[in-house]
């Protein structure tokens, strides 16, 4: 029997998910960005999340190594987004400073 010195690494493809959330105004999108941005991912590796605002649209892009990690991150973000939207609806549009 002969062992080969060559080892092949199987590269795993990243899983990606994108979400665009339209707001009535660019100011509201920016306020939502400010409210949602401080939440860092609990794990140091395996997932990344990028939030940006373009016009009145908040865009979120995830990239993860595992489906489970991606699912948990997206679900948590949607919970936080729901809270931000409910707060904006209850108290009205944010006031410009």
């Amino acid at each position: 029997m002969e062992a080969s010195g060559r080892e092949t690494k199987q590269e795993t493809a990243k899983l990606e998910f994108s979400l665009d959330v339209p707001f009535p105004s660019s100011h509201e999108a920016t306020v939502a960005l400010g409210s949602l941005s401080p939440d860092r991912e609990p794990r140091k590796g395996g997932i990344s999340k990028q939030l940006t605002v373009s016009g009145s649209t908040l865009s979120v892009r995830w990239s993860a190594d595992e489906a489970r990690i991606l699912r948990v991150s997206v679900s948590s973000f949607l919970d936080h987004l729901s809270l931000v939207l409910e707060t904006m609806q209850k108290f009205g549009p944010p006031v410009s400073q």
Side-chain angles (χ1 to χ4, degrees):
M1 183 174 351
E2 195 173 310
S4 171
R6 195 175 104 180
E7 184 176 319
T8 59
K9 272 190 173 179
Q10 182 180 4
E11 289 188 30
T12 57
K14 289 270 189 184
L15 300 168
E16 295 184 353
F17 183 77
S18 300
L19 177 68
D20 292 327
V21 184
F23 282 86
S25 71
S26 60
H27 182 65
E28 287 171 286
T30 302
V31 168
L33 173 69
S35 297
L36 296 164
S37 291
D39 296 333
R40 298 273 182 232
E41 294 302 322
R43 289 186 65 180
K44 297 219 185 261
I47 190 158
S48 65
K49 177 175 67 178
Q50 179 184 15
L51 287 84
T52 57
V53 168
S54 178
S56 62
T57 301
L58 172 68
S59 298
V60 191
R61 307 285 182 256
W62 286 267
S63 180
D65 295 333
E66 299 175 27
R68 181 184 57 81
I69 296 168
L70 180 60
R71 183 178 65 246
V72 168
S73 179
V74 170
S75 178
S76 175
F77 177 82
L78 291 175
D79 287 344
H80 288 104
L81 176 62
S82 176
L83 182 60
V84 168
L85 294 173
E86 286 176 28
T87 302
M88 285 182 172
Q89 286 177 342
K90 183 162 184 112
F91 295 101
V95 178
S96 298
Q97 294 183 3

Coordinates of all heavy atoms in Angstrom, one line a residue:
M1 N 0.8 -1.1 0.0 CA 0.0 0.0 0.0 C 0.9 1.2 0.0 O 1.9 1.3 0.7 CB -0.9 0.0 1.2 CG -1.8 1.1 1.2 SD -3.1 1.3 2.4 CE -3.3 0.0 3.5
E2 N 0.5 2.2 -0.8 CA 1.3 3.4 -0.9 C 0.4 4.6 -0.5 O -0.7 4.8 -1.0 CB 1.8 3.5 -2.3 CG 2.9 4.5 -2.5 CD 3.4 4.5 -3.9 OE1 3.7 3.3 -4.3 OE2 3.5 5.5 -4.5
A3 N 0.9 5.5 0.3 CA 0.2 6.7 0.6 C 0.7 7.9 -0.2 O 1.9 8.0 -0.5 CB 0.4 7.1 2.1
S4 N -0.2 8.7 -0.6 CA 0.1 9.8 -1.4 C 0.4 11.0 -0.5 O -0.3 11.2 0.5 CB -1.0 10.1 -2.4 OG -0.8 11.4 -3.0
G5 N 1.3 11.8 -0.8 CA 1.6 13.0 -0.1 C 0.8 14.2 -0.4 O 0.9 15.3 0.2
R6 N -0.1 14.0 -1.4 CA -0.9 15.1 -1.8 C -2.3 15.1 -1.1 O -3.0 14.1 -1.2 CB -1.1 15.0 -3.3 CG -1.6 16.3 -3.9 CD -1.6 16.1 -5.4 NE -3.1 15.9 -5.8 CZ -3.5 15.7 -7.0 NH1 -2.6 15.7 -8.0 NH2 -4.7 15.6 -7.2
E7 N -2.6 16.2 -0.5 CA -3.9 16.2 0.2 C -4.8 17.3 -0.5 O -4.3 18.4 -0.8 CB -3.7 16.6 1.7 CG -4.9 16.6 2.5 CD -4.6 16.9 3.9 OE1 -3.6 16.4 4.5 OE2 -5.4 17.6 4.5
T8 N -5.9 16.9 -0.8 CA -6.8 17.9 -1.4 C -7.8 18.4 -0.4 O -8.4 17.7 0.4 CB -7.6 17.2 -2.6 OG1 -8.4 16.2 -2.1 CG2 -6.7 16.7 -3.7
K9 N -7.9 19.7 -0.4 CA -8.9 20.4 0.5 C -10.1 20.7 -0.3 O -10.0 21.3 -1.4 CB -8.3 21.7 1.0 CG -7.5 21.5 2.3 CD -7.2 22.9 2.8 CE -6.6 22.8 4.2 NZ -6.3 24.1 4.7
Q10 N -11.2 20.3 0.2 CA -12.5 20.6 -0.5 C -12.9 22.0 0.1 O -13.1 22.1 1.3 CB -13.5 19.5 -0.2 CG -14.8 19.8 -0.8 CD -15.9 18.7 -0.5 OE1 -15.6 17.8 0.3 NE2 -17.0 18.8 -1.1
E11 N -13.0 22.9 -0.8 CA -13.4 24.3 -0.4 C -14.9 24.3 -0.3 O -15.6 23.8 -1.2 CB -13.0 25.3 -1.4 CG -11.5 25.5 -1.4 CD -11.0 26.7 -2.2 OE1 -11.8 27.6 -2.4 OE2 -9.9 26.7 -2.7
T12 N -15.4 24.9 0.8 CA -16.8 25.0 0.9 C -17.3 26.4 0.5 O -16.6 27.4 0.8 CB -17.3 24.8 2.4 OG1 -16.5 25.7 3.2 CG2 -16.9 23.4 2.9
A13 N -18.3 26.4 -0.3 CA -18.8 27.7 -0.8 C -19.5 28.4 0.3 O -20.2 27.8 1.2 CB -19.8 27.5 -1.9
K14 N -19.4 29.8 0.4 CA -20.1 30.6 1.3 C -21.6 30.7 0.9 O -21.9 30.7 -0.2 CB -19.5 32.0 1.3 CG -18.1 32.1 1.9 CD -18.3 32.4 3.4 CE -16.9 32.7 4.0 NZ -16.9 32.9 5.4
L15 N -22.4 30.7 1.9 CA -23.8 30.9 1.7 C -24.1 32.4 1.9 O -23.5 33.0 2.8 CB -24.6 30.1 2.8 CG -24.4 28.6 2.8 CD1 -25.1 28.0 4.1 CD2 -25.1 28.0 1.6
E16 N -24.9 32.9 1.0 CA -25.2 34.4 1.0 C -26.7 34.6 1.0 O -27.4 33.9 0.4 CB -24.5 35.0 -0.2 CG -23.0 35.0 -0.1 CD -22.3 35.7 -1.2 OE1 -23.0 36.2 -2.1 OE2 -21.1 35.8 -1.2
F17 N -27.0 35.7 1.7 CA -28.4 36.1 1.7 C -28.4 37.6 1.7 O -27.6 38.3 2.4 CB -29.1 35.6 3.0 CG -30.5 35.9 3.1 CD1 -31.5 35.2 2.3 CD2 -31.0 36.9 3.9 CE1 -32.8 35.5 2.4 CE2 -32.3 37.3 4.0 CZ -33.3 36.6 3.2
S18 N -29.4 38.2 1.0 CA -29.5 39.7 0.8 C -30.9 40.1 1.1 O -31.9 39.3 0.8 CB -29.1 40.1 -0.6 OG -27.8 39.8 -0.9
L19 N -31.1 41.2 1.8 CA -32.4 41.7 2.1 C -32.4 43.2 1.9 O -31.5 43.9 2.3 CB -32.7 41.4 3.6 CG -34.0 42.0 4.1 CD1 -35.2 41.3 3.5 CD2 -34.0 41.8 5.6
D20 N -33.3 43.7 1.1 CA -33.5 45.2 0.9 C -34.8 45.6 1.6 O -35.9 45.0 1.3 CB -33.5 45.5 -0.6 CG -32.2 45.3 -1.2 OD1 -31.1 45.5 -0.6 OD2 -32.2 44.9 -2.4
V21 N -34.7 46.6 2.4 CA -35.9 47.1 3.2 C -36.2 48.5 2.8 O -35.4 49.4 3.1 CB -35.7 47.0 4.7 CG1 -36.9 47.4 5.4 CG2 -35.2 45.6 5.1
P22 N -37.3 48.8 2.1 CA -37.6 50.1 1.7 C -38.2 50.9 2.8 O -39.0 50.3 3.6 CB -38.6 49.9 0.5 CG -39.3 48.6 0.8 CD -38.2 47.8 1.5
F23 N -37.9 52.2 3.0 CA -38.4 53.0 4.0 C -39.1 54.2 3.3 O -38.7 54.5 2.1 CB -37.3 53.5 4.9 CG -37.0 52.5 6.0 CD1 -36.0 51.5 5.7 CD2 -37.6 52.5 7.2 CE1 -35.6 50.6 6.6 CE2 -37.2 51.5 8.1 CZ -36.2 50.6 7.8
P24 N -40.0 54.9 3.9 CA -40.6 56.1 3.3 C -39.7 57.2 3.0 O -39.9 58.0 2.0 CB -41.7 56.5 4.4 CG -41.9 55.4 5.2 CD -40.6 54.6 5.2
S25 N -38.6 57.3 3.7 CA -37.6 58.4 3.4 C -36.2 57.9 3.7 O -36.0 56.9 4.4 CB -37.9 59.6 4.3 OG -37.6 59.3 5.7
S26 N -35.2 58.6 3.2 CA -33.8 58.2 3.5 C -33.5 58.5 4.9 O -32.6 57.7 5.5 CB -32.9 59.0 2.5 OG -33.0 60.4 2.8
H27 N -34.1 59.4 5.5 CA -33.8 59.7 7.0 C -34.3 58.5 7.8 O -33.5 58.1 8.7 CB -34.5 61.0 7.4 CG -34.3 61.3 8.8 ND1 -33.0 61.7 9.3 CD2 -35.1 61.4 9.9 CE1 -33.1 61.9 10.6 NE2 -34.3 61.8 11.0
E28 N -35.4 57.9 7.5 CA -35.9 56.8 8.3 C -35.0 55.6 8.1 O -34.7 54.8 9.0 CB -37.3 56.5 7.9 CG -38.3 57.5 8.5 CD -39.7 57.3 8.0 OE1 -39.9 57.6 6.8 OE2 -40.6 56.8 8.7
A29 N -34.5 55.4 6.8 CA -33.6 54.3 6.6 C -32.3 54.5 7.3 O -31.7 53.5 7.9 CB -33.3 54.2 5.1
T30 N -31.8 55.7 7.4 CA -30.6 56.0 8.2 C -30.8 55.8 9.7 O -29.9 55.3 10.3 CB -30.1 57.4 7.9 OG1 -29.9 57.6 6.5 CG2 -28.8 57.8 8.6
V31 N -31.9 56.2 10.2 CA -32.2 55.9 11.6 C -32.3 54.4 11.9 O -31.7 53.9 12.9 CB -33.5 56.6 12.0 CG1 -34.0 56.1 13.4 CG2 -33.4 58.1 12.0
A32 N -32.9 53.7 11.0 CA -32.9 52.2 11.2 C -31.5 51.6 11.1 O -31.2 50.7 11.9 CB -33.8 51.6 10.1
L33 N -30.7 52.1 10.2 CA -29.3 51.6 10.1 C -28.6 51.9 11.4 O -27.9 51.0 12.0 CB -28.6 52.4 9.0 CG -27.1 52.1 8.9 CD1 -26.8 50.7 8.5 CD2 -26.5 53.1 7.9
G34 N -28.8 53.1 12.0 CA -28.1 53.4 13.3 C -28.6 52.5 14.4 O -27.9 52.2 15.3
S35 N -29.9 52.2 14.4 CA -30.4 51.3 15.4 C -30.0 49.9 15.3 O -29.9 49.2 16.3 CB -32.0 51.4 15.4 OG -32.4 52.7 15.6
L36 N -29.8 49.4 14.1 CA -29.5 48.0 13.9 C -28.0 47.7 13.7 O -27.6 46.6 13.9 CB -30.2 47.5 12.6 CG -31.7 47.6 12.7 CD1 -32.3 47.4 11.3 CD2 -32.2 46.4 13.6
S37 N -27.2 48.7 13.4 CA -25.7 48.5 13.2 C -25.0 48.0 14.5 O -24.0 47.3 14.3 CB -25.1 49.7 12.7 OG -25.5 49.9 11.3
P38 N -25.3 48.5 15.7 CA -24.5 48.1 16.8 C -24.5 46.7 17.1 O -23.6 46.2 17.9 CB -25.1 48.9 18.0 CG -25.8 50.0 17.4 CD -26.3 49.5 16.0
D39 N -25.5 45.9 16.6 CA -25.6 44.5 17.0 C -24.6 43.7 16.2 O -24.7 43.4 15.0 CB -27.0 44.0 16.7 CG -28.0 44.6 17.6 OD1 -27.6 45.0 18.7 OD2 -29.2 44.7 17.2
R40 N -23.5 43.3 16.8 CA -22.5 42.5 16.2 C -22.9 41.0 16.3 O -23.7 40.6 17.2 CB -21.1 42.6 16.9 CG -20.6 44.0 16.8 CD -19.8 44.2 15.6 NE -19.3 45.5 15.5 CZ -19.4 46.4 14.5 NH1 -20.1 46.0 13.4 NH2 -18.8 47.5 14.5
E41 N -22.4 40.2 15.4 CA -22.6 38.8 15.4 C -21.9 38.2 16.6 O -20.8 38.5 17.0 CB -22.1 38.1 14.2 CG -22.8 38.5 12.9 CD -24.3 38.3 13.0 OE1 -24.7 37.2 13.5 OE2 -25.1 39.1 12.5
P42 N -22.6 37.3 17.4 CA -22.1 36.7 18.6 C -20.8 35.9 18.3 O -19.9 35.8 19.1 CB -23.2 35.8 19.2 CG -24.2 35.8 18.2 CD -24.0 36.8 17.1
R43 N -20.8 35.2 17.2 CA -19.6 34.4 16.9 C -18.6 35.3 16.2 O -18.9 36.1 15.4 CB -20.0 33.3 15.9 CG -20.8 32.2 16.6 CD -21.1 31.0 15.7 NE -19.8 30.4 15.4 CZ -19.7 29.4 14.6 NH1 -20.8 28.8 14.0 NH2 -18.5 28.8 14.3
K44 N -17.3 35.0 16.4 CA -16.2 35.8 15.8 C -16.0 35.3 14.4 O -15.5 36.0 13.6 CB -15.0 35.6 16.6 CG -15.1 36.2 18.0 CD -13.9 36.9 18.4 CE -14.0 37.4 19.8 NZ -14.4 38.7 20.0
G45 N -16.3 34.1 14.1 CA -16.1 33.6 12.7 C -17.3 32.9 12.1 O -18.2 32.6 12.8
G46 N -17.2 32.6 10.9 CA -18.3 31.8 10.2 C -19.4 32.7 9.6 O -20.1 32.1 8.8
I47 N -19.5 34.0 10.0 CA -20.5 34.8 9.4 C -20.1 36.3 9.4 O -19.4 36.7 10.2 CB -21.9 34.6 10.1 CG1 -23.0 35.3 9.4 CG2 -21.8 35.2 11.6 CD1 -24.4 34.8 9.7
S48 N -20.6 37.0 8.3 CA -20.4 38.4 8.3 C -21.7 39.0 7.8 O -22.5 38.4 7.1 CB -19.2 38.8 7.4 OG -19.5 38.4 6.0
K49 N -21.9 40.3 8.3 CA -23.1 41.0 8.0 C -22.7 42.4 7.6 O -22.0 43.0 8.4 CB -24.1 40.9 9.1 CG -25.4 41.7 8.9 CD -26.3 41.5 10.1 CE -25.8 42.2 11.3 NZ -26.7 42.1 12.5
Q50 N -23.3 42.9 6.5 CA -23.0 44.3 6.1 C -24.3 45.0 5.9 O -25.1 44.6 5.2 CB -22.1 44.3 4.8 CG -21.8 45.7 4.3 CD -21.1 45.6 3.0 OE1 -21.0 44.6 2.3 NE2 -20.5 46.7 2.6
L51 N -24.4 46.2 6.6 CA -25.6 47.0 6.4 C -25.2 48.3 5.7 O -24.2 48.9 6.1 CB -26.2 47.4 7.8 CG -26.9 46.3 8.5 CD1 -26.0 45.4 9.3 CD2 -27.9 46.9 9.4
T52 N -26.0 48.7 4.7 CA -25.8 50.0 4.0 C -27.1 50.6 3.7 O -28.2 50.0 3.7 CB -25.0 49.8 2.7 OG1 -25.8 48.8 1.9 CG2 -23.6 49.2 2.9
V53 N -27.1 51.9 3.5 CA -28.3 52.7 3.1 C -28.0 53.3 1.7 O -26.9 53.9 1.5 CB -28.7 53.7 4.1 CG1 -29.7 54.7 3.5 CG2 -29.2 53.1 5.4
S54 N -28.9 53.2 0.8 CA -28.8 53.8 -0.5 C -30.2 54.4 -0.7 O -31.2 53.7 -0.9 CB -28.5 52.8 -1.6 OG -28.5 53.4 -2.8
G55 N -30.2 55.8 -0.7 CA -31.5 56.4 -0.8 C -32.4 56.1 0.4 O -32.0 56.3 1.5
S56 N -33.6 55.6 0.1 CA -34.5 55.2 1.2 C -34.5 53.7 1.5 O -35.5 53.2 2.1 CB -35.9 55.8 1.0 OG -36.4 55.2 -0.2
T57 N -33.5 53.0 1.0 CA -33.5 51.6 1.1 C -32.3 51.1 2.0 O -31.2 51.5 1.8 CB -33.3 50.9 -0.2 OG1 -34.4 51.3 -1.1 CG2 -33.3 49.4 -0.1
L58 N -32.7 50.3 3.0 CA -31.7 49.7 3.9 C -31.4 48.3 3.3 O -32.3 47.5 3.1 CB -32.2 49.5 5.3 CG -31.4 48.7 6.3 CD1 -30.1 49.4 6.6 CD2 -32.1 48.4 7.6
S59 N -30.1 48.1 3.0 CA -29.7 46.8 2.4 C -28.8 46.1 3.4 O -27.9 46.6 4.0 CB -28.9 47.0 1.1 OG -29.7 47.7 0.2
V60 N -29.1 44.8 3.5 CA -28.3 43.9 4.4 C -27.8 42.7 3.6 O -28.5 42.1 2.8 CB -29.1 43.4 5.6 CG1 -28.3 42.7 6.7 CG2 -30.0 44.5 6.2
R61 N -26.5 42.4 3.8 CA -25.9 41.3 3.1 C -25.2 40.4 4.1 O -24.4 40.9 4.9 CB -24.9 41.7 2.1 CG -25.4 42.8 1.1 CD -26.3 42.2 0.0 NE -26.7 43.2 -1.0 CZ -27.9 43.7 -1.0 NH1 -28.8 43.4 -0.1 NH2 -28.3 44.6 -1.9
W62 N -25.6 39.1 4.1 CA -24.9 38.1 4.9 C -24.1 37.2 4.1 O -24.4 36.9 3.0 CB -25.9 37.3 5.7 CG -26.7 37.9 6.8 CD1 -26.4 37.9 8.1 CD2 -27.9 38.6 6.7 NE1 -27.3 38.5 8.8 CE2 -28.3 39.0 8.0 CE3 -28.8 39.0 5.6 CZ2 -29.5 39.7 8.3 CZ3 -29.9 39.7 5.9 CH2 -30.2 40.1 7.2
S63 N -23.0 36.7 4.7 CA -22.2 35.6 4.1 C -21.8 34.7 5.3 O -21.3 35.2 6.3 CB -20.9 36.2 3.5 OG -20.2 35.2 2.9
A64 N -22.1 33.4 5.1 CA -21.9 32.5 6.2 C -21.3 31.1 5.7 O -21.5 30.8 4.6 CB -23.2 32.2 7.0
D65 N -20.7 30.4 6.6 CA -20.1 29.1 6.3 C -21.1 28.0 6.4 O -21.0 27.0 5.8 CB -18.9 28.8 7.3 CG -17.8 29.7 7.1 OD1 -17.6 30.3 6.0 OD2 -17.0 29.9 8.1
E66 N -22.1 28.2 7.3 CA -23.1 27.2 7.6 C -24.5 27.7 7.5 O -24.8 28.9 8.0 CB -22.9 26.6 9.0 CG -21.6 25.9 9.2 CD -21.4 25.5 10.7 OE1 -22.4 25.2 11.3 OE2 -20.2 25.4 11.1
A67 N -25.4 26.9 7.1 CA -26.8 27.3 6.9 C -27.4 27.7 8.3 O -28.2 28.6 8.4 CB -27.7 26.2 6.2
R68 N -27.1 26.9 9.3 CA -27.7 27.1 10.6 C -27.3 28.5 11.2 O -28.1 29.2 11.7 CB -27.2 26.0 11.6 CG -27.7 26.2 13.0 CD -27.1 25.1 14.0 NE -25.7 25.1 14.0 CZ -25.0 26.0 14.8 NH1 -25.6 26.9 15.5 NH2 -23.7 25.9 14.7
I69 N -26.0 28.9 11.0 CA -25.5 30.2 11.5 C -26.2 31.3 10.7 O -26.6 32.3 11.3 CB -24.0 30.2 11.3 CG1 -23.3 29.2 12.2 CG2 -23.5 31.6 11.6 CD1 -21.8 29.0 11.9
L70 N -26.4 31.1 9.4 CA -27.0 32.1 8.6 C -28.5 32.3 9.0 O -29.0 33.4 9.2 CB -26.9 31.7 7.1 CG -27.6 32.7 6.1 CD1 -27.0 34.0 6.2 CD2 -27.5 32.1 4.7
R71 N -29.2 31.2 9.3 CA -30.6 31.2 9.6 C -30.8 31.9 11.0 O -31.6 32.8 11.1 CB -31.1 29.8 9.7 CG -32.6 29.7 10.1 CD -33.1 28.3 10.1 NE -32.5 27.5 11.1 CZ -31.7 26.5 11.0 NH1 -31.3 26.1 9.7 NH2 -31.2 25.8 12.0
V72 N -29.9 31.6 12.0 CA -30.0 32.3 13.3 C -29.8 33.8 13.2 O -30.5 34.6 13.8 CB -29.0 31.6 14.3 CG1 -28.9 32.4 15.5 CG2 -29.5 30.2 14.6
S73 N -28.8 34.2 12.4 CA -28.4 35.6 12.2 C -29.5 36.3 11.5 O -29.9 37.4 12.0 CB -27.1 35.7 11.5 OG -26.8 37.1 11.3
V74 N -30.1 35.8 10.5 CA -31.2 36.5 9.7 C -32.4 36.6 10.6 O -33.1 37.6 10.7 CB -31.5 35.7 8.4 CG1 -32.7 36.3 7.8 CG2 -30.3 35.8 7.4
S75 N -32.7 35.5 11.3 CA -33.9 35.5 12.2 C -33.8 36.5 13.3 O -34.7 37.3 13.6 CB -34.1 34.1 12.8 OG -35.2 34.1 13.7
S76 N -32.6 36.6 13.9 CA -32.4 37.6 14.9 C -32.5 39.0 14.4 O -33.1 39.9 15.0 CB -31.0 37.4 15.6 OG -30.7 38.4 16.5
F77 N -31.9 39.2 13.2 CA -32.0 40.6 12.6 C -33.4 40.9 12.3 O -33.8 42.1 12.5 CB -31.2 40.6 11.3 CG -31.3 41.9 10.6 CD1 -30.5 43.0 10.9 CD2 -32.2 42.1 9.5 CE1 -30.6 44.2 10.3 CE2 -32.3 43.3 8.9 CZ -31.5 44.4 9.3
L78 N -34.2 40.0 11.8 CA -35.6 40.3 11.5 C -36.4 40.6 12.7 O -37.3 41.5 12.7 CB -36.3 39.1 10.7 CG -35.7 38.9 9.3 CD1 -36.4 37.6 8.7 CD2 -36.0 40.1 8.4
D79 N -36.1 40.0 13.8 CA -36.7 40.4 15.1 C -36.4 41.8 15.5 O -37.3 42.6 15.9 CB -36.3 39.4 16.2 CG -36.9 38.0 16.1 OD1 -37.9 37.9 15.4 OD2 -36.3 37.1 16.8
H80 N -35.1 42.2 15.4 CA -34.7 43.5 15.7 C -35.3 44.5 14.7 O -35.8 45.6 15.1 CB -33.2 43.7 15.7 CG -32.5 43.0 16.9 ND1 -31.9 41.8 16.7 CD2 -32.4 43.4 18.1 CE1 -31.4 41.4 17.9 NE2 -31.7 42.4 18.8
L81 N -35.3 44.2 13.4 CA -35.9 45.1 12.4 C -37.4 45.3 12.7 O -37.9 46.4 12.7 CB -35.8 44.5 11.0 CG -36.4 45.3 9.9 CD1 -35.8 46.7 9.8 CD2 -36.3 44.5 8.6
S82 N -38.1 44.2 13.1 CA -39.5 44.4 13.4 C -39.7 45.3 14.6 O -40.7 46.2 14.6 CB -40.1 43.0 13.8 OG -41.4 43.1 14.2
L83 N -38.9 45.3 15.6 CA -39.0 46.2 16.7 C -38.7 47.6 16.3 O -39.4 48.5 16.8 CB -38.0 45.7 17.8 CG -38.0 46.6 19.1 CD1 -39.4 46.5 19.8 CD2 -36.9 46.1 20.1
V84 N -37.7 47.8 15.5 CA -37.5 49.2 15.0 C -38.7 49.7 14.2 O -39.1 50.9 14.4 CB -36.2 49.2 14.1 CG1 -36.0 50.5 13.3 CG2 -34.9 48.9 15.0
L85 N -39.2 48.9 13.3 CA -40.4 49.3 12.5 C -41.6 49.6 13.4 O -42.3 50.6 13.2 CB -40.7 48.3 11.5 CG -39.7 48.1 10.4 CD1 -40.1 46.9 9.5 CD2 -39.5 49.3 9.6
E86 N -41.9 48.8 14.4 CA -43.0 49.0 15.3 C -42.8 50.3 16.1 O -43.7 51.1 16.3 CB -43.1 47.8 16.3 CG -43.7 46.6 15.7 CD -43.7 45.4 16.6 OE1 -43.8 45.7 17.9 OE2 -43.6 44.3 16.2
T87 N -41.6 50.6 16.5 CA -41.3 51.8 17.2 C -41.5 53.0 16.4 O -42.1 54.0 16.8 CB -39.8 51.8 17.8 OG1 -39.7 50.6 18.6 CG2 -39.5 53.0 18.6
M88 N -41.0 53.0 15.1 CA -41.2 54.1 14.2 C -42.7 54.3 14.0 O -43.2 55.5 13.9 CB -40.5 53.8 12.9 CG -39.0 54.0 13.0 SD -38.3 53.8 11.3 CE -36.6 54.2 11.6
Q89 N -43.5 53.2 13.8 CA -44.9 53.4 13.6 C -45.6 54.0 14.8 O -46.5 54.8 14.7 CB -45.5 52.1 13.2 CG -45.2 51.6 11.8 CD -45.8 50.2 11.5 OE1 -46.1 49.5 12.3 NE2 -45.8 49.9 10.2
K90 N -45.2 53.5 16.0 CA -45.9 54.0 17.2 C -45.6 55.4 17.5 O -46.5 56.2 17.9 CB -45.5 53.1 18.4 CG -46.2 53.5 19.7 CD -46.1 52.4 20.7 CE -46.9 52.7 21.9 NZ -48.1 51.9 22.1
F91 N -44.3 55.8 17.3 CA -43.9 57.2 17.7 C -43.8 58.2 16.5 O -43.5 59.3 16.7 CB -42.6 57.1 18.5 CG -42.7 56.4 19.8 CD1 -42.3 55.1 19.9 CD2 -43.3 57.1 20.9 CE1 -42.4 54.5 21.1 CE2 -43.5 56.4 22.1 CZ -43.0 55.1 22.2
G92 N -44.1 57.7 15.3 CA -44.1 58.5 14.2 C -42.7 58.6 13.6 O -41.7 58.1 14.1
P93 N -42.5 59.2 12.4 CA -41.2 59.3 11.8 C -40.2 60.1 12.6 O -40.6 61.0 13.4 CB -41.5 60.1 10.5 CG -42.9 60.5 10.5 CD -43.6 59.9 11.7
P94 N -39.0 59.7 12.5 CA -37.9 60.4 13.3 C -37.8 61.9 13.0 O -38.0 62.2 11.8 CB -36.6 59.6 13.0 CG -37.0 58.8 11.9 CD -38.4 58.7 11.7
V95 N -37.5 62.7 13.9 CA -37.4 64.1 13.7 C -35.9 64.4 13.3 O -35.0 63.9 13.9 CB -37.7 64.9 15.0 CG1 -37.5 66.4 14.8 CG2 -39.1 64.6 15.5
S96 N -35.7 65.2 12.2 CA -34.4 65.6 11.8 C -33.8 66.5 12.8 O -34.4 67.3 13.4 CB -34.4 66.3 10.5 OG -35.0 65.4 9.5
Q97 N -32.5 66.3 13.0 CA -31.8 67.2 14.0 C -30.8 68.1 13.3 O -30.2 67.9 12.4 CB -31.0 66.3 15.0 CG -31.9 65.5 15.9 CD -31.1 64.7 16.9 OE1 -29.9 64.8 17.0 NE2 -31.8 64.0 17.7

